[in-house]
Amino acid sequence: QKEVEQDPGPLSVPEGAIVSLNCTYSNSAFQYFMWYRQYSRKGPELLMYTYSSGNKEDGRFTAQVDKSSKYISLFIRDSQPSDSATYLCVYSYTGNQFYFGTGTSLTVIP
Amino acid sequence: GAVVSQHPSWVICKSGTSVKIECRSLDFQATTMFWYRQFPKQSLMLMATSNEGSKATYEQGVEKDKFLINHASLTLSTLTVTSAHPEDSSFYICSASRREGLKNEQFFGPGTRLTVL
């Protein structure tokens, strides 16, 4: 079983829609959860970081963690064409080992 | 957020030559740096984990004699692709981890596109 499972998509939504991106993980020791956004031919950019269950909001982005079901989500409200990118969920528990999902490709259609 | 730079951003070289890629953390000290490669439309693949002052730890299947990693200081790690071949053409991305108390974040460089002719 992979440490992290992420639906690769691709996901295509109209502008203004609410986007839900999801990952599941297998190791209950995971403590840190991160979402990265990667545009084509660019390095990943850290969007959200959380280490507790519940919601964390930053502008149009909300990260949600449910440790009881080992489920993590990223919600994007009022999606924009500029949100079109690949989104990576990442977990860590040792501090120096990071486990990546495969990434979900998102396209927001104007 | 913290800034990680990579140089060069794009390099084209002939088969058989060696190429060095630099990764720098510009505004923080990184005890650990990571090197990834990424093929088009594929996920990041971790190549090695590099700790300052010690030998890098390579992932299974990555040739350490081909991909030489040097982490000479807390702000600089280099990846040298030795005797490059066309199949080494890829997007190479480094990252640096920054620890602040319980928080440990990973910041990525912009990537280096390597084309081997």
Side-chain angles (χ1 to χ4, degrees):
Chain A
Q1 183 183 9
K2 285 184 182 177
E3 298 277 5
V4 179
E5 298 277 359
Q6 182 175 7
D7 184 353
L11 185 61
S12 186
V13 301
E15 184 175 354
I18 296 175
V19 176
S20 172
L21 304 167
N22 306 297
C23 288
T24 58
Y25 60 95
S26 58
N27 192 330
S28 58
F30 282 130
Q31 296 179 353
Y32 312 93
F33 306 91
M34 291 152 275
W35 283 97
Y36 287 86
R37 175 175 62 196
Q38 185 179 23
Y39 293 111
S40 180
R41 296 179 179 173
K42 301 285 186 185
E45 169 195 8
L46 180 64
L47 278 179
M48 304 282 286
Y49 178 106
T50 182
Y51 53 86
S52 59
S53 282
N55 294 349
K56 181 176 182 179
E57 193 171 316
D58 184 1
R60 297 185 294 111
F61 298 91
T62 300
Q64 187 177 78
V65 177
D66 184 343
K67 287 190 176 183
S68 61
S69 57
K70 299 179 186 173
Y71 200 82
I72 179 172
S73 300
L74 178 70
F75 298 99
I76 307 174
R77 291 187 302 279
D78 188 24
S79 55
Q80 303 294 311
S82 58
D83 295 328
S84 299
T86 296
Y87 290 80
L88 299 160
C89 59
V90 181
Y91 304 86
S92 175
Y93 64 95
T94 65
N96 276 343
Q97 283 183 304
F98 296 84
Y99 299 88
F100 284 75
T102 53
T104 300
S105 175
L106 170 68
T107 301
V108 180
I109 303 168
Chain B
V3 180
V4 175
S5 70
Q6 270 183 254
H7 177 80
S9 56
W10 191 1
V11 56
I12 301 173
C13 69
K14 291 183 178 179
S15 185
T17 60
S18 295
V19 174
K20 181 187 280 189
I21 302 170
E22 290 188 351
C23 176
R24 294 181 185 273
S25 56
L26 297 184
D27 51 2
F28 68 101
Q29 292 184 328
T31 51
T32 305
M33 288 186 169
F34 305 85
W35 286 96
Y36 299 83
R37 66 189 296 183
Q38 186 176 36
F39 293 106
K41 297 186 179 179
Q42 292 192 22
S43 181
L44 294 167
M45 291 171 45
L46 180 64
M47 298 175 66
T49 301
S50 167
N51 289 297
E52 184 264 339
S54 61
K55 290 183 179 179
T57 302
Y58 289 82
E59 295 299 298
Q60 195 172 11
V62 178
E63 300 173 56
K64 60 182 180 182
D65 294 331
K66 180 165 183 65
F67 299 99
L68 301 178
I69 292 172
N70 186 309
H71 193 160
S73 76
L74 288 172
T75 59
L76 173 64
S77 176
T78 60
L79 168 69
T80 301
V81 183
T82 62
S83 187
H85 287 95
E87 57 266 29
D88 297 325
S89 298
S90 187
F91 193 52
Y92 291 85
I93 306 174
C94 73
S95 71
S97 80
R98 181 182 73 177
R99 179 170 286 178
E100 290 182 338
L102 292 177
K103 201 174 175 183
N104 191 13
E105 296 170 289
Q106 191 176 170
F107 296 94
F108 287 86
T112 296
R113 196 191 321 174
L114 171 63
T115 301
V116 184
L117 302 176

